[in-house]
Amino acid sequence: MAGTDKTKTTPLGDAPVVVLVNPQLGENIGTAIRAMANFGLSELRIVNPRDGWPNEKAVSAASGADWIIEHARIFDRLEDALTGLNYVYATTARPRGMVKEVLAPDQAGSDMRLRIGRGEKAGILFGRERWGLSNDEISLADVIITAPVDPAFASLNIAQAVLLVGYEWYKGLARTLGQQTPELPALEGPGLKMADTRPATKEELFGFFSHLESELDNAGFFKTEEKKPGMVRNIRNLFTRTGLTEQEVRSLRGMIASLTRAHLRKSKVRES
């Protein structure tokens, strides 16, 4: 799903801080930054990046999320990177054998919105590409986030982890789906979209039924009067289930009228 409108600003206030612990590749930092930008996460703290900072590969992989890169802060120690935070979430796929509450990503997203809404400052820890966070690092967090993944292949890269948690944080705040374009506004939510039309009224639907049934009657579709009521009910149920729009009702009536005219023309040709 592509689409970026750089004229738009994020309509959010405070958001969780993303803390990347000892990331190894600039490309991975960049893709994580891109994932942050997708979901309204703008504050990045990096602990001891292996290849140093700034990193050209990170800039390239971030795909234009320059505001996050420009304001990223670098730390030598994780303890220093957690300065000013009230509550910290640590992401991991492995059991740790410690007394620590574990949340699924959707639960963590709800908890973040609740805490930030009451003025707390939250942070999310993401570990190294190869082996994640150490137990000592996780001990500095208040809670663990673990996603329900296939046990046969549970590893997520940094960008995937940021994307997953960022989505769960943002989805409860998002006002629309997708991106607005010059031609159309962003989608207001899931469900059937009716561009330039509306659901058909019952009057329009009943008029269509009358039109269709009349022409079917004239064409001899109803073989016997005894079976006609049941056949009519089946036809009406068929079209009622589809949830027709006003445009669709007009199109269907136009099709019936065209078929009727064509049939009449052929009949006149045969008679002549």
Side-chain angles (χ1 to χ4, degrees):
M1 293 180 286
T4 299
D5 187 346
K6 294 183 179 179
T7 67
K8 301 295 181 183
T9 57
T10 300
L12 296 177
D14 294 330
V17 175
V18 170
V19 183
L20 303 183
V21 179
N22 191 211
Q24 297 165 334
L25 296 174
E27 297 95 323
N28 292 340
I29 298 173
T31 53
I33 289 171
R34 179 175 181 174
M36 289 175 61
N38 289 144
F39 299 111
L41 302 170
S42 59
E43 186 173 348
L44 174 63
R45 302 180 185 184
I46 306 175
V47 180
N48 191 25
R50 188 191 69 178
D51 293 341
W53 193 263
N55 188 297
E56 291 183 4
K57 292 182 178 178
V59 174
S60 177
S63 298
D66 299 332
W67 67 97
I68 299 176
I69 293 174
E70 291 167 1
H71 295 95
R73 298 170 62 190
I74 310 302
F75 298 85
D76 293 326
R77 302 189 319 136
L78 177 56
E79 290 87 345
D80 296 332
L82 302 183
T83 300
L85 302 183
N86 303 110
Y87 203 81
V88 176
Y89 305 79
T91 59
T92 181
R94 294 184 283 116
R96 297 297 181 149
M98 61 178 68
V99 179
K100 187 83 71 174
E101 184 178 7
V102 176
L103 300 178
D106 58 331
Q107 296 171 315
S110 297
D111 191 62
M112 291 174 199
R113 292 191 296 274
L114 178 66
R115 291 180 181 280
I116 290 175
R118 65 191 185 202
E120 296 183 37
K121 193 168 182 65
I124 315 166
L125 304 186
F126 297 92
R128 302 155 188 82
E129 291 92 323
R130 293 185 62 186
W131 51 275
L133 297 165
S134 70
N135 281 356
D136 287 341
E137 290 161 347
I138 289 177
S139 72
L140 300 178
D142 297 280
V143 67
I144 287 172
I145 302 175
T146 297
V149 292
D150 188 339
F153 200 82
S155 176
L156 300 178
N157 65 35
I158 296 176
Q160 289 174 317
V162 173
L163 188 79
L164 178 61
V165 178
Y167 166 73
E168 293 294 349
W169 143 258
Y170 189 77
K171 72 178 184 181
L173 302 169
R175 299 171 185 171
T176 59
L177 295 178
Q179 180 191 2
Q180 179 176 329
T181 70
E183 296 79 22
L184 294 170
L187 300 176
E188 294 183 358
L192 180 65
K193 304 306 171 187
M194 299 184 183
D196 301 322
T197 188
R198 55 169 173 75
T201 65
K202 291 303 181 185
E203 292 86 349
E204 290 163 342
L205 200 59
F206 296 158
F208 163 64
F209 289 158
S210 178
H211 187 182
L212 175 61
E213 292 156 16
S214 174
E215 295 301 337
L216 289 174
D217 213 358
N218 292 338
F221 178 78
F222 303 113
K223 301 300 183 184
T224 66
E225 285 300 317
E226 292 79 10
K227 291 185 178 180
K228 180 177 177 180
M231 297 174 74
V232 167
R233 282 194 299 272
N234 288 340
I235 291 170
R236 293 185 177 190
N237 281 331
L238 185 157
F239 286 106
T240 301
R241 285 199 309 271
T242 63
L244 294 171
T245 68
E246 174 269 340
Q247 174 69 52
E248 289 167 340
V249 167
R250 285 193 286 115
S251 295
L252 285 168
R253 295 194 68 167
M255 285 187 270
I256 295 168
S258 293
L259 289 171
T260 300
R261 287 194 297 270
H263 176 71
L264 291 175
R265 283 196 298 269
K266 289 180 180 179
S267 297
K268 289 180 180 179
V269 169
R270 284 195 295 269
E271 290 173 0
S272 62

